[in-house]
Amino acid sequence: MRLTKQSVTLLYLSSCTIFANLLFLYGFFSFGYNDSRTSTPNDIPSTIWPNQNDSEPWRFDTRRLYHKSVNKVVLMVIDGIRYDFFTEYEYNVNMPFSTDLIKQNRSCLFRTRVNSPTVTMPRIKALTTGTVPNFIDLVLNLDSSAVQQDSIIYQARAAHKQVIFFGDETWLKLFPNSFVRHDGTTSFYISDSTEVDNNVTRHLENELKPTADWDIMILHYLGLDHIGHTGGPRSKLMPNKLSEMDNIIRRIVNYMDSEKSELPSVLIVCGDHGMRDNGGHGGSSTGEVVVPLFVYFKNNKCGGSIKEEIMQTDFVPSISVIMGLPIPSSSTGKLINKILQNLNINEILFAYHYNSQQMYTNYISKKGLMNKAFMKDYNNAILYYYDWLKRETTSINQAHHVISLYESALSGMSNYIIGSIAKFDVFLIIVSIVLSIQVWLLLVDFDAVNIQFIKISRLVYLMLIRWAVCVWLQCDSVLCEFTATFNLLASVIITMFIINLGSFGWPISTLIRLEISDFNNNNLFYVLPGSFIHVLSLFSSSYIEEEHQLLYHLWAGFSAIQVYTTFILHSYTTTAKWIVSMILHRICKNLNTIGNQSSGVYSVGDWFRESQNQIYLTILMVIGLCCIFYASINIHRIIKNNKRFNILSAIIFVLYFWTLCSIYMYRVETKEVAAPYGYNILKLIFCLHSWTIAWYLLIGCHTFLVIKQTNRNNNKFNSAVYSIIVLLMLRLSLLLRPHNILVPGVLVYTCKLLQLKSWNTLTTTILHYWLSLMFFFYQGNSNSVGTLDIVPGYIGQTSYDPVIAGIHIFTHTYGLPMLVYLFLVLDQKFSGLKTLCMLNVTQSCVYNLVILLFRNHLFIWSVFSPKLLYIVMFTSTTYVFSALIIILLTLCGTSTKKEIEI
């Protein structure tokens, strides 16, 4: 039971891959916006001096020009609300009050664009700091930490404003000790769309009183977003939720209209992000990145629906101006003219001048060039504004001309600052790619790998070379920071580099040793070019968005070859099986529509989810559960090795049936499928708690079966893998959406079909690799973060547990690929595992090169970055899987020596 040399080598190379990917992520993603400055009232301009020829500057009376122009501010954030919820009749019919305010020009509706990633935490940062958060905030969204940047919350507290908050507890984590009163609600319990909002609304009775002492009230409603996650924008729960939000808006507006104050109050309703057409968010589709900004001033006309598009960051300087607060120092936002309607022309011009000065400071700190066209507009704006101030008679047209120049300058400087926020550590990125390429070469020539201990002298030499290169190039990479932490990091990298470099045999010798007969094989001749095309497609943003389409065509072509081959060999039964497989894959493909080309397309899954089609969804789910039950029984018979039926087998069959019935009853409880006859009794027997008990009992039964197996012909290992397949399949059955419950059965059918014919290891592994990606896409996933389904993370949870939620989401997302990998190692054992790692590292290496070359691409954050995260997760999943299989091979005493040749 000791590890073999091949096993240790594979584990080491897999560890190197994970380490290289982490280095790449650290070098590629900017982990923080390092701007610790905070604005003060002293930053508000007091003079303007456009050129040295003037004898003295113009001095502003800042108290008269920059002051509070509103009484109270209510910021109502409706999580996940889309722009078309206010504009399309399908939705706004449920929001009559808000719609009427817009039509009567009593309020403004702005079309607001948000940046990726479209998840809550980075969007709250954008709403409060005016900066564009880093894409890595997508990952950090699950564990929000306090905002270190300047923000309107900080400025309000510094000005002794009374700020209160009710809603998503993310705000409390981002701005601790900032609210005089608050009540947070968890944002991660997706199945609740009622109480989570009632906990916010219940505070309005006390806060909307004439005696209320607050200046700013922030409300963050989560229910609409939760409905979007579970049922999408067309969920049957959405009309009531929109009506509820409309009634809350009515309630706040009525309170403002009844106020007796000299200054008007303002209500601002916005979304932190939008929602995909199929539900969820995180990506960059129109529904996710275009959100409303609804503004209501007491007793004032505003302008109705504004066609001009604004950015989400523009909210920050605008709200700062009307509240008379300093604009946060790192803000990249531009003033929204319509929000300044309560100011006179002098105050508006001063606000634009202040906003431009604040932006100019950031622009200079980012080493912006002065010879740009928008900088000429900036200089002209200052010049014309100065002239406008000095003239006794002024023209409103001249004022508007100055404003237009300021707006042009603000747009240019803002775009430059946003584009310069990302700082790539190119040196670290290149080092990580070199490590990945070393691992790939070693995996290709795995037989010749001979890992040896390194000589300390070589490590010292390379550390000295690193020091010399850093000093010579004056590189600002973390590898050139000579602190204890980064010296240790450099030592680890150089150690791996030396070990890998000294482990090569004759590079690519394995490919040279491939027999000519292998290339005469039609299947290998097809799958090798297919894999090459798949890798090349990573260089195109469009192909990344539509990667699933390429894989569908590659698999369809391979299936057609099998139909033709088996037919001319008169193997009609196998031909029929391949035809059935093609039909099943076509059904799976149409269950969920993904990709930009199919955005908004009505899928088969959408049809099944319609309330009037519940009976058909019920039938589909029952068929899927029966297929899983049949597959589980057949796998059990393989584990038993056709031995006679006994009591243990009967218990296992009953537990299979019990778990699947419990899954069905759970979906009845969630009202997704129809209730069976005798529902009241069945729900007591087949509850979710009983599923958990049955599943853990199955773990015990299968463990006992594996222990009883002998080591002959790899029986123990095969039994262990088959047991994992059954247990994982039953777990996935609970997590998958009801319309996807047929997919695991199709997966088992396809993998068993591949075992009917013996191909070489490379061909078999490539086919299983394609299948793992295809079934990842079949269940509705894509290369967009917006398709990540987080609802399964909360199945069975009565309180939020991030560990359990994370395990459930991971299992749901990568469970089907793991099933495919398990069938691969059943067929190919260690050689298949090694080749799978090679294919995975190949994609990772190539894509890292793509990211390095395209780091300044227009779609780097919306397309390339999400795909990078998925590839890293696939690589990590493969590593965990490899470690698990190597442990099983070791415990089961299975040899790796015979299976390491292609």
Side-chain angles (χ1 to χ4, degrees):
M1 285 179 50
R2 66 183 182 85
L3 289 172
T4 64
K5 178 182 177 181
Q6 290 86 356
S7 299
V8 173
T9 301
L10 187 59
L11 284 176
Y12 165 74
L13 294 177
S14 299
S15 301
C16 286
T17 303
I18 297 295
F19 182 70
N21 281 334
L22 291 176
L23 289 179
F24 188 93
L25 290 177
Y26 192 90
F28 178 70
F29 290 115
S30 178
F31 282 82
Y33 187 91
N34 299 320
D35 188 352
S36 57
R37 297 176 297 125
T38 55
S39 296
T40 67
N42 293 331
D43 294 317
I44 300 173
S46 58
T47 61
I48 180 172
W49 198 343
N51 59 66
Q52 301 298 324
N53 296 327
D54 296 300
S55 58
E56 61 180 19
W58 180 274
R59 299 188 182 278
F60 293 112
D61 183 356
T62 52
R63 290 190 177 185
R64 182 177 63 85
L65 293 174
Y66 197 82
H67 54 82
K68 179 180 178 181
S69 61
V70 294
N71 180 34
K72 292 184 177 181
V73 176
V74 178
L75 174 60
M76 179 178 172
V77 180
I78 305 178
D79 205 299
I81 195 166
R82 291 160 47 125
Y83 178 75
D84 57 5
F85 284 4
F86 277 89
T87 59
E88 297 295 328
Y89 180 78
E90 176 184 1
Y91 303 110
N92 68 18
V93 67
N94 302 299
M95 305 180 71
F97 181 77
S98 304
T99 303
D100 286 344
L101 287 179
I102 297 169
K103 290 179 179 178
Q104 297 168 14
N105 291 339
R106 294 178 60 197
S107 66
C108 292
L109 177 67
F110 298 93
R111 178 185 171 94
T112 310
R113 184 166 294 273
V114 306
N115 298 94
S116 295
T118 47
V119 292
T120 297
M121 188 268 282
R123 302 278 53 84
I124 294 176
K125 282 187 177 180
L127 274 171
T128 54
T129 65
T131 61
V132 178
N134 304 306
F135 191 85
I136 199 63
D137 279 327
L138 170 70
V139 178
L140 304 178
N141 184 58
L142 298 175
D143 186 22
S144 307
S145 57
V147 172
Q148 302 299 322
Q149 298 161 254
D150 195 5
S151 67
I152 55 175
I153 303 297
Y154 173 83
Q155 292 297 337
R157 294 293 294 150
H160 306 292
K161 304 292 184 183
Q162 300 294 302
V163 186
I164 62 175
F165 169 78
F166 307 106
D168 186 352
E169 63 183 7
T170 304
W171 288 78
L172 303 179
K173 296 177 182 178
L174 294 175
F175 305 104
N177 305 318
S178 296
F179 307 107
V180 294
R181 291 189 298 279
H182 59 80
D183 184 15
T185 57
T186 179
S187 59
F188 292 103
Y189 199 58
I190 300 298
S191 59
D192 172 29
S193 63
T194 305
E195 291 301 318
V196 73
D197 285 347
N198 290 342
N199 287 335
V200 179
T201 306
R202 66 190 174 91
H203 294 282
L204 294 182
E205 184 176 354
N206 290 327
E207 303 299 346
L208 298 183
K209 288 182 177 179
T211 56
D213 61 349
W214 51 268
D215 297 295
I216 303 172
M217 179 168 66
I218 302 173
L219 310 170
H220 190 137
Y221 285 94
L222 291 164
L224 186 140
D225 179 66
H226 290 184
I227 292 172
H229 279 292
T230 56
R234 293 181 176 84
S235 168
K236 59 184 179 181
L237 300 176
M238 192 62 76
N240 287 337
K241 181 55 65 176
L242 291 174
S243 178
E244 178 187 344
M245 295 296 103
D246 190 55
N247 287 330
I248 293 169
I249 293 172
R250 180 200 301 269
R251 190 171 173 181
I252 297 172
V253 167
N254 290 339
Y255 161 76
M256 290 181 170
D257 288 346
S258 65
E259 277 188 316
K260 296 178 180 179
S261 61
E262 294 182 5
L263 296 176
S265 293
V266 60
L267 166 65
I268 301 172
V269 182
C270 63
D272 54 345
H273 54 73
M275 185 187 302
R276 290 176 63 245
D277 291 334
N278 295 325
H281 55 87
S284 55
S285 67
T286 301
E288 294 167 273
V289 300
V290 178
V291 299
L293 181 69
F294 173 94
V295 181
Y296 173 81
F297 285 95
K298 173 187 174 181
N299 298 329
N300 280 341
K301 296 288 184 179
C302 186
S305 183
I306 310 297
K307 293 183 179 180
E308 179 184 358
E309 187 172 271
I310 63 172
M311 297 300 295
Q312 189 178 49
T313 50
D314 297 343
F315 168 82
V316 171
S318 305
I319 198 70
S320 298
V321 167
I322 64 174
M323 292 180 64
L325 299 174
I327 299 174
S329 60
S330 55
S331 170
T332 61
K334 312 177 294 294
L335 288 173
I336 305 170
N337 198 294
K338 287 287 184 181
I339 292 184
L340 309 181
Q341 58 176 298
N342 291 322
L343 308 181
N344 61 44
I345 191 63
N346 290 289
E347 294 168 338
I348 292 174
L349 281 169
F350 180 77
Y352 271 100
H353 178 67
Y354 175 27
N355 189 196
S356 300
Q357 290 285 83
Q358 173 264 328
M359 192 82 74
Y360 177 77
T361 302
N362 287 336
Y363 181 77
I364 293 300
S365 69
K366 296 294 181 182
K367 300 178 181 179
L369 300 176
M370 299 301 296
N371 59 354
K372 298 290 185 180
F374 57 81
M375 290 309 298
K376 294 178 181 178
D377 288 339
Y378 171 73
N379 292 326
N380 288 332
I382 293 177
L383 183 62
Y384 292 148
Y385 181 36
Y386 182 78
D387 291 340
W388 191 88
L389 289 168
K390 294 191 72 174
R391 291 181 183 180
E392 295 183 0
T393 58
T394 57
S395 166
I396 194 67
N397 292 330
Q398 291 175 329
H400 288 154
H401 177 62
V402 173
I403 290 172
S404 66
L405 289 173
Y406 272 129
E407 286 179 337
S408 172
L410 283 167
S411 295
M413 288 189 286
S414 176
N415 291 336
Y416 176 84
I417 294 168
I418 291 171
S420 64
I421 285 176
K423 293 294 184 183
F424 305 115
D425 191 335
V426 178
F427 187 27
L428 187 61
I429 289 174
I430 293 174
V431 167
S432 70
I433 292 175
V434 170
L435 280 176
S436 296
I437 292 174
Q438 283 185 323
V439 171
W440 180 79
L441 289 171
L442 291 170
L443 284 170
V444 169
D445 198 32
F446 192 79
D447 293 349
V449 174
N450 184 24
I451 295 178
Q452 300 176 349
F453 292 104
I454 68 169
K455 295 181 179 180
I456 300 298
S457 59
R458 294 180 180 177
L459 176 61
V460 174
Y461 292 151
L462 285 177
M463 288 292 284
L464 289 173
I465 292 173
R466 167 218 173 199
W467 175 82
V469 170
C470 289
V471 171
W472 178 46
L473 296 178
Q474 296 184 343
C475 183
D476 59 355
S477 169
V478 295
L479 292 180
C480 292
E481 293 184 19
F482 295 97
T483 61
T485 301
F486 291 110
N487 280 331
L488 178 61
L489 176 64
S491 300
V492 173
I493 293 172
I494 291 173
T495 300
M496 284 187 172
F497 181 82
I498 295 173
I499 292 174
N500 295 342
L501 198 62
S503 302
F504 287 112
W506 180 252
I508 321 301
S509 61
T510 305
L511 291 180
I512 296 174
R513 290 198 304 271
L514 279 173
E515 298 178 7
I516 300 298
S517 59
D518 289 335
F519 285 99
N520 290 333
N521 185 303
N522 289 333
N523 296 308
L524 186 59
F525 183 76
Y526 177 83
V527 297
L528 276 179
S531 293
F532 183 68
I533 293 170
H534 180 218
V535 170
L536 283 182
S537 70
L538 298 175
F539 284 86
S540 167
S541 61
S542 297
Y543 275 105
I544 290 172
E545 291 176 321
E546 305 296 331
E547 182 184 5
H548 54 286
Q549 298 287 1
L550 175 60
L551 288 166
Y552 296 159
H553 285 90
L554 287 173
W555 182 257
F558 175 78
S559 299
I561 291 173
Q562 301 315 303
V563 170
Y564 172 77
T565 303
T566 55
F567 183 79
I568 62 175
L569 293 175
H570 306 293
S571 181
Y572 300 121
T573 303
T574 307
T575 302
K577 289 180 179 179
W578 276 104
I579 292 174
V580 170
S581 172
M582 294 179 74
I583 295 171
L584 291 173
H585 278 264
R586 180 64 182 179
I587 294 172
C588 289
K589 175 181 178 293
N590 289 337
L591 282 175
N592 302 282
T593 56
I594 57 176
N596 276 1
Q597 291 184 358
S598 302
S599 179
V601 174
Y602 194 71
S603 68
V604 173
D606 293 328
W607 184 84
F608 275 115
R609 286 195 294 268
E610 295 283 353
S611 57
Q612 65 270 23
N613 299 323
Q614 188 183 66
I615 186 62
Y616 300 108
L617 179 60
T618 303
I619 295 171
L620 177 67
M621 185 172 183
V622 170
I623 293 173
L625 292 175
C626 288
C627 290
I628 293 171
F629 183 63
Y630 177 75
S632 300
I633 290 175
N634 278 336
I635 289 174
H636 175 76
R637 287 173 178 168
I638 296 172
I639 296 174
K640 291 283 291 180
N641 201 18
N642 295 322
K643 292 180 181 178
R644 63 177 183 170
F645 188 81
N646 56 22
I647 296 177
L648 181 60
S649 297
I651 293 173
I652 289 175
F653 288 174
V654 170
L655 290 175
Y656 288 161
F657 181 78
W658 199 287
T659 56
L660 296 173
C661 286
S662 298
I663 291 168
Y664 179 81
M665 292 306 299
Y666 169 73
R667 295 301 176 181
V668 173
E669 286 289 319
T670 58
K671 297 180 173 56
E672 294 172 90
V673 296
Y677 181 76
Y679 164 71
N680 291 328
I681 298 176
L682 292 175
K683 73 176 182 179
L684 298 176
I685 300 173
F686 300 114
C687 60
L688 202 55
H689 182 65
S690 69
W691 181 94
T692 304
I693 296 173
W695 193 74
Y696 281 109
L697 287 174
L698 279 172
I699 292 178
C701 293
H702 277 279
T703 302
F704 179 74
L705 283 175
V706 172
I707 293 173
K708 283 183 60 180
Q709 293 287 344
T710 63
N711 284 332
R712 187 181 61 178
N713 298 325
N714 295 326
N715 282 344
K716 190 179 287 289
F717 174 77
N718 290 345
S719 297
V721 174
Y722 272 125
S723 296
I724 295 172
I725 288 174
V726 172
L727 292 169
L728 180 56
M729 192 161 51
L730 292 174
R731 170 67 70 172
L732 280 170
S733 302
L734 174 66
L735 301 178
L736 287 171
R737 300 283 185 137
H739 69 280
N740 286 331
I741 205 70
L742 188 65
V743 176
V746 177
L747 185 152
V748 174
Y749 178 85
T750 306
C751 290
K752 298 297 287 184
L753 188 58
L754 287 177
Q755 293 178 355
L756 293 179
K757 187 176 179 181
S758 179
W759 291 300
N760 61 30
T761 300
L762 183 58
T763 301
T764 304
T765 307
I766 290 175
L767 291 174
H768 281 82
Y769 183 67
W770 287 356
L771 280 177
S772 69
L773 294 174
M774 285 172 55
F775 280 99
F776 171 80
F777 292 130
Y778 280 160
Q779 67 184 93
N781 296 314
S782 73
N783 289 326
S784 168
V785 183
T787 57
L788 183 65
D789 192 353
I790 64 174
V791 175
Y794 309 96
I795 292 177
Q797 289 204 62
T798 54
S799 61
Y800 176 62
D801 187 331
V803 175
I804 294 176
I807 292 172
H808 282 188
I809 294 171
F810 175 83
T811 304
H812 174 264
T813 306
Y814 296 100
L816 293 177
M818 289 278 280
L819 278 178
V820 176
Y821 293 166
L822 288 167
F823 277 103
L824 170 65
V825 296
L826 271 175
D827 188 33
Q828 298 294 325
K829 303 297 187 295
F830 186 81
S831 60
L833 187 64
K834 181 263 299 181
T835 310
L836 175 65
C837 290
M838 183 194 70
L839 292 175
N840 203 277
V841 172
T842 301
Q843 187 184 44
S844 180
C845 283
V846 172
Y847 198 71
N848 287 351
L849 283 170
V850 170
I851 291 289
L852 176 61
L853 294 174
F854 293 168
R855 62 186 182 277
N856 295 317
H857 194 281
L858 180 63
F859 300 134
I860 187 66
W861 302 118
S862 59
V863 178
F864 289 100
S865 294
K867 174 63 176 176
L868 174 64
L869 294 179
Y870 277 115
I871 285 182
V872 170
M873 282 304 302
F874 259 108
T875 304
S876 302
T877 302
T878 305
Y879 170 70
V880 172
F881 176 80
S882 302
L884 173 64
I885 296 303
I886 287 173
I887 291 171
L888 282 178
L889 286 168
T890 304
L891 292 176
C892 297
T894 304
S895 173
T896 63
K897 294 182 179 179
K898 294 189 296 183
E899 291 97 8
I900 60 174
E901 293 186 8
I902 294 180

